[in-house]
Amino acid sequence: MSGLVDGVLGVSPALAYTLVALLVFAEDALFIGFVIPGETAAVLGGVVASRGQVQLGVMMGLVVLAAIIGDSVGYEVGKHMGPRLLENRFLLRHRDNLGKAQDFLRRRGGSAVFLGRFVALFRALMPALAGVSGMHYPRFVAFNAAGGLIWGAGFVLLGYLAGNSYGAVAKAAGEDVTAAVVVIGIVAVLIWRVRRARSRKRQPSAPPPTQS
C-alpha cells in the first residue's frame, strides 16, 4: 500500500486525477474493494490536493463522479448476470459478507444502497446485488448519487485537511471517521423522509367521484 501512496503522490496532476478516479470507480464496478478500499484512494486524492499538485474542487468532483458511475456499472453487471453472479468463485469466498449484504438490502431497500457506500465490503457488493434483485434503476441511482456525493466529498476533504498526516487518517478512515460519516448520512436520509412525508400530507386528496 505504501508503494501505491508514494506512486500517486509523485506523478503528474493529470495522472493523479486519473489514478484516484480509476481506483474509486473500479472498487464497485470490478470488485477491487476487497483489495483496496475506495476511501483510501479518496483520502489520497485529498492529500495530493493539499500539496498543491491538483485542484481540490476538481479532485472532489472526479471522485464523486467515479463513485456514482462505478456503482451504476456494478448495478448493470448484477442486472445482466443475475443469480449467476452470486455463484462466482471469487464472491463465494466472501459468502458471509455476501449474505449480510443481501439481508441488509432486503430489509432496507434504497437506504441500503446509500448506507452501503460507507461500509467497505458492502460498498463493493451492494450495487451488483441491487441489480440482481431488480431494484428500479431511478430509485437505485437516486440513493447511489446521494451516497456518492457525501462519501466522495467527505473523504477527499478529509485527506485535504489531514495533509502529511495521511497514514493516521487512512487508518481512521476505515474506522471512526467512517462511522461519523455514516451518522451524517443517516441523519440526511431521515430529514429527507420526514420532508417527503410532510409534503404528501400537504397535497390535497382527490375529490370523490360524482354520481350522475
Side-chain angles (χ1 to χ4, degrees), residues 122-199:
F122 281 13
R123 186 164 57 245
L125 290 169
M126 200 61 70
L129 292 179
V132 171
S133 71
M135 179 181 289
H136 195 41
Y137 183 72
R139 177 176 175 79
F140 167 81
V141 79
F143 284 96
N144 169 33
L149 177 61
I150 296 174
W151 177 89
F155 279 108
V156 172
L157 185 59
L158 177 66
Y160 181 82
L161 296 175
N164 291 327
S165 301
Y166 168 79
V169 172
K171 181 179 179 180
E175 301 170 359
D176 297 337
V177 176
T178 299
V181 177
V182 169
V183 171
I184 295 173
I186 292 174
V187 171
V189 170
L190 290 175
I191 292 174
W192 173 74
R193 286 191 169 185
V194 169
R195 288 183 175 177
R196 186 177 66 170
R198 289 179 177 176
S199 177

Side-chain angles (χ1 to χ4, degrees), residues 63-135:
V63 168
V64 170
L65 190 62
I68 294 173
I69 295 176
D71 275 11
S72 294
V73 171
Y75 173 92
E76 291 297 328
V77 169
K79 179 180 178 181
H80 289 93
M81 291 190 66
R84 288 179 300 161
L85 179 67
L86 306 181
E87 299 172 2
N88 181 281
R89 286 185 299 174
F90 176 77
L91 291 182
L92 288 177
R93 296 176 189 172
H94 303 273
R95 187 172 300 171
D96 291 343
N97 290 314
L98 185 61
K100 291 176 182 177
Q102 287 177 299
D103 180 64
F104 188 39
L105 183 62
R106 279 193 296 267
R107 290 186 291 106
R108 301 304 299 267
S111 297
V113 174
F114 176 86
L115 297 173
R117 163 56 58 183
F118 304 95
V119 182
L121 292 177
F122 281 13
R123 186 164 57 245
L125 290 169
M126 200 61 70
L129 292 179
V132 171
S133 71
M135 179 181 289

Side-chain angles (χ1 to χ4, degrees), residues 9-27:
L9 292 178
V11 300
S12 66
L15 190 52
Y17 286 132
T18 303
L19 287 175
V20 171
L22 283 177
L23 286 171
V24 172
F25 167 83
E27 179 184 31

